[in-house]
Amino acid sequence: MGFSEPYKYVIDPEHFSVGFLVDHIGYAKVLGMFRKARGDFIFDEETLELGEIFVSIESDSIFTNHKKRDAHLRGSDFLNSREFPEIIFEGQNSEALQSRAGIVSGSLMILGKSLPIALDVIWNKSDVYPFGHKKHTIGLSIRGSFKRSDYDMSYAVSNGWVGDHIELIIELEANRE
């Protein structure tokens, strides 16, 4: 069932996972996540367009299941979370999510540097939540990648200890306001 106007959706922090994969010395990839993030966007179920997307990730909330590594990742070699407490994605508009898939273009700011990025989006479901809050809810799966060296985060890239290519994994549910 379509709706005749765009609605604002606020991402549910209890159903919001921001993860990443990065190569570790060629042996395996580290799967990490950020434990604190928030965001909102506009979605029009009639035109199938996402817009006015804002996502803020708390850089010091990084978690890779290794305390010493997590402390290093918060430091100046990587995220420098004291000076740059937020990683921000802002998306202006998407192509229409035909067949429930599309691309959102925007900018990703890390370490105070903002660069263009395109993210693949899958619209999983929209409906009234079946229990609890009973709000109209949308579920999205989002994937993308970037090079951390583009953000001047080059620690251990040249010797191959830590990969340059970062794979993003985002899963979310958002409630209509």
Side-chain angles (χ1 to χ4, degrees), residues 65-80:
N65 201 30
H66 187 288
K67 286 182 184 182
K68 192 172 177 181
R69 176 174 51 220
D70 292 349
H72 190 196
L73 291 170
R74 288 183 191 101
S76 60
D77 286 336
F78 291 97
L79 294 171
N80 197 0

Side-chain angles (χ1 to χ4, degrees), residues 7-156:
Y7 289 95
K8 181 174 183 178
Y9 288 83
V10 176
I11 298 170
D12 179 350
E14 293 179 3
H15 297 99
F16 189 19
S17 299
V18 179
F20 63 90
L21 285 165
V22 62
D23 189 67
H24 184 250
I25 323 175
Y27 290 108
K29 290 185 178 184
V30 170
L31 174 60
M33 68 181 300
F34 291 90
R35 291 181 161 180
K36 295 181 184 172
R38 63 183 170 81
D40 54 60
F41 54 87
I42 303 292
F43 183 61
D44 187 328
E45 288 194 30
E46 186 113 345
T47 65
L48 305 178
E49 291 179 2
L50 285 163
E52 299 179 36
I53 304 153
F54 178 82
V55 174
S56 174
I57 301 161
E58 293 183 28
S59 59
D60 69 349
S61 73
I62 195 164
F63 173 79
T64 65
N65 201 30
H66 187 288
K67 286 182 184 182
K68 192 172 177 181
R69 176 174 51 220
D70 292 349
H72 190 196
L73 291 170
R74 288 183 191 101
S76 60
D77 286 336
F78 291 97
L79 294 171
N80 197 0
S81 63
R82 283 192 183 170
E83 188 173 343
F84 301 101
E86 289 182 295
I87 297 167
I88 295 174
F89 173 76
E90 291 183 279
Q92 290 68 43
N93 286 302
S94 71
E95 62 181 37
L97 300 181
Q98 301 298 331
S99 301
R100 297 192 171 262
I103 296 173
V104 172
S105 296
S107 61
L108 180 64
M109 185 178 73
I110 302 173
L111 296 172
K113 186 175 184 177
S114 189
L115 296 172
I117 191 168
L119 301 174
D120 296 320
V121 178
I122 304 263
W123 171 24
N124 299 313
K125 182 178 182 177
S126 286
D127 208 343
V128 174
Y129 213 68
F131 52 85
H133 58 68
K134 302 277 188 179
K135 295 178 182 175
H136 191 85
T137 301
I138 186 171
L140 302 174
S141 295
I142 303 164
R143 302 292 185 270
S145 65
F146 63 92
K147 287 185 174 182
R148 62 187 181 90
S149 61
D150 290 345
Y151 293 89
D152 304 319
M153 190 189 310
S154 298
Y155 178 85

